[in-house]
Amino acid sequence: VITKITARQVLDSRGIPTIEVDLYTNKGMFRASSPSGNCTGIYEAVELRDGDKGRYLGKGVSRAVKNVNERISEALIGMDPTLQSQIDQVMLDLDKTENKVELGANAILAVSIAACKAGAAEKEVPLYKHIAELSGKTSTVLPVPSFTVISGGAHAGNNLAVQEIMILPVGANTFEEAMQMGSETYHQLKAIITEKYGTSGCNVGEDGGFAPNISSFKEGLDLVKEAIDQTGYNGKIKIAMDVAATNFCLGTKYDLDFKSPNKSGQNFRTGEEMIEMYVQLCADYPIVSIEQPFDKEDWENTKLLSAHGICQVVGDDLLMLNPKCIERAINESTCNALLLKMNQIGTVTEAIKAVKLAKDAHWGVVTSHRCGETEDSFIADLAVGLATGQIKAGAPCRGERLVKYNQLLRIEEELGERAVYAGLNWRLP
Ligand code: PGA
Ligand code: ZN
């Protein structure tokens, strides 16, 4: 049973406070932390921050810490950690709000994940297996990693609008091979960028992708394509983009030069022009997935792009992992894949339900990091246990990104001959 729960404030990969929880049972101590990101939506679970400008510029989480140490801890002590849905329900009942603003989704999520780890230990099974069982399945799948190799948008200081250009080694036979292909291509890209833009072009963005001072999608894609060609992985590595277009939507226009202070209007695009651009890019490059191609409220153009059937269209802040938004998008054929960011919803149980909704509609599911990450590797086990087929956790470098990928290497090793790599079945593993 759960004997003790304590929380503390630690810092995330951006140097911003976040919450870490230690949950104790008779089997030991289980630690988890909440990630944090830039893009947020109105239906998203709320991250509780202190707002005290004198401490960490208002971003402290001492109120969330207090909620865990007092109210949540009191409610959960004595519970069986294997009963994930009951534990999560107790926290929801205690919070009573729709968006978890009372206790804080950051507080609730860290406890929910710590309890999940404790539940696996209680059953003496690996975490990914426990998660699979919680979702009512027994099969597990190693996801195709979506490595961020070029950073832009809100994640980097260059003029590039698109937030992440990623590579997917779908042609690898194992996760380990995918890791090698990703790493080699990343380093090849570094050499290409150094030659073209000098060493400063290899400075990296928040998720570890290179951030050369380029300004068009095409320039970024050309660099990545050249790196893939040079490593000889042509055909085996596909490309994905997270456009995060909510960041540069101005009314009905999209500003592809949104980070530049001088606006000529030359780089404004209508929704229709954006679709034309995506169709052309998908024809010219091996692009298989586009995340958040339009504003979070632009359901119409997202749907029009999806109808072209040229690639996977992933909803991030369009959906916010909110079941109501997911259901609407399924009914209206708005997009065809779900971005799984745990802290958008706040509990393991609700995340499992959202994935089930998406899978039942034959959608793809991308397990995702946030730009503000921690040393917690939970999402690696989550991706395997829920067989999402895809995971994006940033570049194949930087500790807070690699804890996820390295954990996947360990899981594959542990599964041995039973390990299944999603590979070409990444969309519907
Ligand atoms: P975020 O970015 O964590 O800054 O929201 C990740 C993403 O958009 O997928
Ligand atoms: Zn995104």
Side-chain angles (χ1 to χ4, degrees):
V1 298
I2 298 172
T3 54
K4 182 174 149 190
I5 307 176
T6 58
R8 68 180 65 82
Q9 176 173 292
V10 294
L11 299 190
D12 72 17
S13 60
R14 302 165 304 177
I16 294 176
T18 190
I19 183 167
E20 178 173 88
V21 163
D22 292 351
L23 183 146
Y24 295 78
T25 68
N26 315 15
K27 297 271 183 191
M29 187 272 280
F30 304 91
R31 179 169 287 162
S33 50
S34 282
S36 171
N38 286 331
C39 68
T40 48
I42 39 170
Y43 299 110
E44 190 169 332
V46 174
E47 198 171 65
L48 189 61
R49 295 204 179 267
D50 299 339
D52 169 2
K53 296 280 181 226
R55 284 187 74 239
Y56 287 102
L57 309 163
K59 300 212 162 154
V61 293
S62 64
R63 287 197 291 154
V65 166
K66 191 164 180 277
N67 287 343
V68 172
N69 288 342
E70 295 171 5
R71 297 168 67 189
I72 295 179
S73 151
E74 190 187 295
L76 298 185
I77 282 174
M79 286 188 78
D80 174 352
T82 63
L83 304 176
Q84 187 74 38
S85 64
Q86 291 181 25
I87 288 170
D88 290 339
Q89 193 57 49
V90 166
M91 290 194 281
L92 297 188
D93 292 344
L94 199 61
D95 180 87
K96 292 197 191 72
T97 66
E98 187 128 352
N99 53 6
K100 304 183 175 64
V101 66
E102 174 68 23
L103 296 172
N106 42 352
I108 293 176
L109 179 64
V111 174
S112 184
I113 293 176
C116 191
K117 293 178 181 177
E122 195 72 24
K123 283 158 63 179
E124 297 182 349
V125 298
L127 182 54
Y128 56 85
K129 186 152 188 279
H130 176 48
I131 294 168
E133 287 168 7
L134 287 175
S135 79
K137 298 235 165 57
T138 47
S139 58
T140 53
V141 177
L142 268 301
V144 169
S146 200
F147 297 114
T148 311
V149 292
I150 300 248
S151 292
H155 288 180
N158 52 11
N159 282 325
L160 189 63
V162 53
Q163 185 172 284
E164 303 175 54
I165 299 180
M166 297 168 272
I167 52 171
L168 283 76
V170 297
N173 293 307
T174 61
F175 182 81
E176 187 185 6
E177 194 187 338
M179 204 66 223
Q180 182 189 332
M181 288 163 72
S183 165
E184 288 171 4
T185 309
Y186 183 75
H187 288 103
Q188 193 67 39
L189 180 63
K190 185 174 186 176
I192 294 168
I193 294 175
T194 305
E195 202 185 305
K196 290 198 167 122
Y197 301 92
T199 44
S200 68
C202 294
N203 290 346
V204 299
E206 278 176 351
D207 35 23
F210 299 118
N213 209 4
I214 52 177
S215 51
S216 74
F217 285 54
K218 197 174 167 326
E219 275 173 286
L221 289 164
D222 278 333
L223 289 169
V224 173
K225 190 164 176 290
E226 195 178 331
I228 295 172
D229 286 345
Q230 285 186 11
T231 46
Y233 292 132
N234 214 327
K236 288 189 167 182
I237 292 185
K238 301 291 184 190
I239 297 176
M241 301 192 288
D242 178 7
V243 184
T246 305
N247 286 329
F248 56 88
C249 179
L250 297 172
T252 58
K253 294 247 190 307
Y254 289 90
D255 180 5
L256 294 182
D257 196 19
F258 79 105
K259 287 185 271 181
S260 138
N262 315 312
K263 300 257 167 274
S264 63
Q266 231 185 359
N267 289 301
F268 286 6
R269 298 282 182 279
T270 62
E272 200 180 332
E273 287 166 343
M274 290 291 284
I275 292 181
E276 276 168 30
M277 178 182 79
Y278 292 136
V279 170
Q280 192 60 50
L281 292 176
C282 285
D284 294 344
Y285 302 93
I287 295 172
V288 293
S289 178
I290 305 181
E291 178 183 331
Q292 207 57 43
F294 296 98
D295 182 67
K296 63 183 173 198
E297 265 147 39
D298 194 348
W299 287 58
E300 207 42 53
N301 280 307
T302 311
K303 179 179 171 149
L304 288 171
L305 176 64
S306 298
H308 277 274
I310 47 177
C311 65
Q312 172 179 261
V313 177
V314 188
D316 179 358
D317 39 332
L318 175 93
L319 304 171
M320 296 159 283
L321 210 65
N322 180 300
K324 289 190 189 119
C325 300
I326 299 169
E327 266 163 19
R328 178 180 161 202
I330 291 170
N331 290 334
E332 299 180 9
S333 307
T334 313
C335 56
N336 49 47
L338 176 71
L339 194 75
L340 173 59
K341 283 174 170 170
M342 296 281 294
N343 72 325
Q344 281 182 336
I345 190 141
T347 63
V348 172
T349 304
E350 289 168 287
I352 291 174
K353 278 191 193 149
V355 168
K356 189 164 179 343
L357 258 182
K359 286 197 159 206
D360 286 349
H362 305 288
W363 276 21
V365 178
V366 188
T367 304
S368 173
H369 68 161
R370 300 306 310 255
C371 61
E373 267 301 335
T374 71
E375 308 100 287
D376 200 320
S377 61
F378 183 77
I379 61 167
D381 287 79
L382 184 74
V384 174
L386 298 183
T388 62
Q390 307 171 60
I391 187 170
K392 73 160 193 177
C397 82
R398 298 173 65 107
E400 78 280 6
R401 312 294 148 186
L402 286 171
V403 282
K404 283 74 167 172
Y405 296 131
N406 287 342
Q407 172 68 0
L408 287 164
L409 288 173
R410 292 181 206 110
I411 294 174
E412 183 166 70
E413 180 188 280
E414 179 175 288
L415 283 169
E417 290 195 340
R418 287 170 298 139
V420 177
Y421 174 62
L424 298 170
N425 300 321
W426 56 280
R427 275 182 89 168
L428 295 172

